[in-house]
C-alpha cells in the first residue's frame, strides 16, 4: 500500500477539517493515489470516494442531569455558593419572569371576557409600573375590581 498522506492533507484542506477525519474508499485507493492536485481531490470528493467522518462531540447528558438536580434544591448550600444572591438570580430576570406571567394572565382574562379592553389597558400599565407583586396579586386585584371594592 502506498503512502496517501499528501492526499489526506489536501483532502483535509479542501473539506476544512482535520486529517484524522478523512476517510478513503478502500476499493478506489489506486484512483486516490493518482490524485495529486486539489482539483482532482475535489472531483473524488464529489464522487464520494473521499469523505470526512462526522465530528465527535462531548455528551452534555451528565451536565444536564447536574443542572436539573441543582435546579430543584440539591447542592445549593452556603458552601457551594460563589456569587451574591443578586448575581445568582438577578433582579432583572426575576422581573422578566414576573411581568411575562402577569401580561400573559391579563391577555387571557381579556380574551375570556373577565375584563374589558379599558380595564386590560389600565392594569397593563399598572403592571408595567410594578404595582403587582405576582400573578396571584393581580388576580386578587381583578376579583376586587369585579366585586366593586377597588377602582
Amino acid at each position: 500500500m502506498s503512502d496517501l498522506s499528501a492526499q489526506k492533507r489536501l483532502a483535509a484542506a479542501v473539506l476544512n477539517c482535520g486529517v484524522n477525519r478523512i476517510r478513503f474508499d478502500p476499493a478506489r485507493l489506486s484512483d486516490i493515489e493518482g490524485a495529486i492536485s486539489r482539483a482532482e481531490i475535489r472531483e473524488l470528493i464529489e464522487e464520494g470516494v473521499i469523505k470526512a467522518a462526522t465530528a465527535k462531540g462531548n455528551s452534555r447528558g451528565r451536565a444536564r442531569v447536574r443542572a436539573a438536580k441543582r435546579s430543584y434544591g440539591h447542592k445549593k448550600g452556603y458552601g457551594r455558593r460563589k456569587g451574591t444572591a443578586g448575581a445568582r438570580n438577578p433582579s432583572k430576570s426575576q422581573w422578566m419572569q414576573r411581568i411575562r406571567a402577569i401580561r400573559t394572565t391579563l391577555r387571557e382574562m381579556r380574551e375570556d371576557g373577565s375584563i374589558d379592553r379599558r380595564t386590560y389597558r389600565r392594569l397593563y400599565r399598572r403592571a408595567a409600573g410594578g404595582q403587582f407583586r405576582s400573578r396571584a396579586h393581580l388576580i386578587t386585584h381583578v376579583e376586587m375590581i369585579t366585586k366593586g371594592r377597588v377602582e
Side-chain angles (χ1 to χ4, degrees):
M1 191 174 134
S2 61
D3 183 25
L4 299 173
S5 58
Q7 284 80 353
K8 256 195 181 184
R9 184 183 53 76
L10 282 172
V14 170
L15 288 170
N16 197 21
C17 68
V19 177
N20 294 327
R21 278 180 54 198
I22 299 299
R23 299 286 178 262
F24 293 146
D25 183 356
R28 304 273 305 269
L29 290 178
S30 58
D31 295 342
I32 296 168
E33 193 178 345
I36 55 170
S37 70
R38 283 173 185 261
E40 291 169 333
I41 294 289
R42 273 193 204 96
E43 285 174 20
L44 290 172
I45 289 169
E46 285 173 22
E47 289 175 33
V49 178
I50 300 174
K51 293 178 186 168
T54 55
K56 290 177 186 167
N58 294 334
S59 171
R60 295 264 321 140
R62 287 181 306 283
R64 281 196 202 98
V65 168
R66 216 175 304 123
K69 277 188 177 174
R70 286 251 166 86
S71 69
Y72 57 77
H74 287 264
K75 298 181 176 178
K76 283 185 144 187
Y78 293 119
R80 290 259 178 188
R81 298 181 195 176
K82 286 279 191 172
T84 61
R88 289 164 62 84
N89 190 8
S91 55
K92 180 168 182 177
S93 57
Q94 287 176 19
W95 164 259
M96 283 169 20
Q97 192 174 2
R98 187 166 62 242
I99 197 69
R100 284 173 182 168
I102 288 171
R103 285 175 176 166
T104 304
T105 306
L106 277 171
R107 221 171 293 122
E108 288 167 0
M109 288 175 152
R110 183 187 61 190
E111 285 165 9
D112 70 20
S114 314
I115 56 175
D116 63 336
R117 280 175 50 232
R118 283 185 64 198
T119 310
Y120 165 81
R121 185 46 52 192
R122 191 164 65 241
L123 292 175
Y124 190 96
R125 294 309 307 150
R126 287 182 181 183
Q131 182 174 339
F132 306 114
R133 291 187 299 274
S134 63
R135 187 175 165 275
H137 186 208
L138 167 75
I139 291 168
T140 55
H141 187 82
V142 169
E143 285 170 3
M144 290 175 75
I145 287 175
T146 53
K147 289 178 183 171
R149 293 186 191 159
V150 179
E151 183 269 341

